[in-house]
Amino acid sequence: MNPINLQTNLTQPGKTSFKINKFMIGGTLMLVAIILLVITSLKGNAQYYLTVEELVSGVTAQQENVRVSGVVLGDSIQYDPQNQTLSFTIANIPGDNKEIEKLGGLAEVLHNAALDQETPRLDVVYHGVKPDLLKNEAQAILTGSIGDDGVFYAEELLLKCPSRYEESLPEQAQP
């Protein structure tokens, strides 16, 4: 019943709501900053997956960070151990799994692409140790960029061995 107490009680809720507004504004700003960081980091790490045919034909603009898959042509493999420079050629394979299955499976597609002289091809240069799995008809998945000279400069090289997709056992494993 004291008017001073009544006035104090009325001003305290206003102060409390103002403190909540500060935290809401600060939380919103932090959330916006986190969202911007996630978007910019994902955009910087984005890789475009292309087939050899798309990359060679120039259907898409040259990107700095491109991922391409193809079959290794064994007779084109050259390695300089002094400079750790590896160069080879890959041939186009379809990028669609349904199409690969329709053509007889991955092993069949890799084999046919390596033999077909009309299949689009791409020269590759990679600096690093020569992988043991690099051989004829291996599937290569490369990350890098294509230079002005039309050569693909790979920063990352992943290989899948073709014998993994064959149904028969290797000769040394048969009884």
Side-chain angles (χ1 to χ4, degrees), residues 88-167:
F88 56 94
T89 303
I90 59 172
N92 185 63
I93 58 172
D96 183 24
N97 286 336
K98 290 179 182 178
E99 186 177 348
I100 290 172
E101 290 302 318
K102 193 166 72 171
L103 294 171
L106 186 57
E108 187 69 22
V109 169
L110 293 172
H111 179 70
N112 290 338
L115 295 178
D116 186 5
Q117 297 295 321
E118 300 299 317
T119 303
R121 294 165 187 240
L122 180 65
D123 293 327
V124 176
V125 172
Y126 172 73
H127 294 283
V129 178
K130 180 182 176 187
D132 292 336
L133 292 177
L134 185 67
K135 56 185 171 183
N136 190 40
E137 296 183 14
Q139 181 184 8
I141 301 168
L142 309 160
T143 304
S145 60
I146 191 162
D148 294 332
D149 54 359
V151 175
F152 189 84
Y153 295 94
E155 297 168 4
E156 183 179 11
L157 170 62
L158 302 172
L159 295 163
K160 294 182 180 180
C161 183
S163 61
R164 182 174 180 197
Y165 305 104
E166 294 174 1
E167 292 181 26

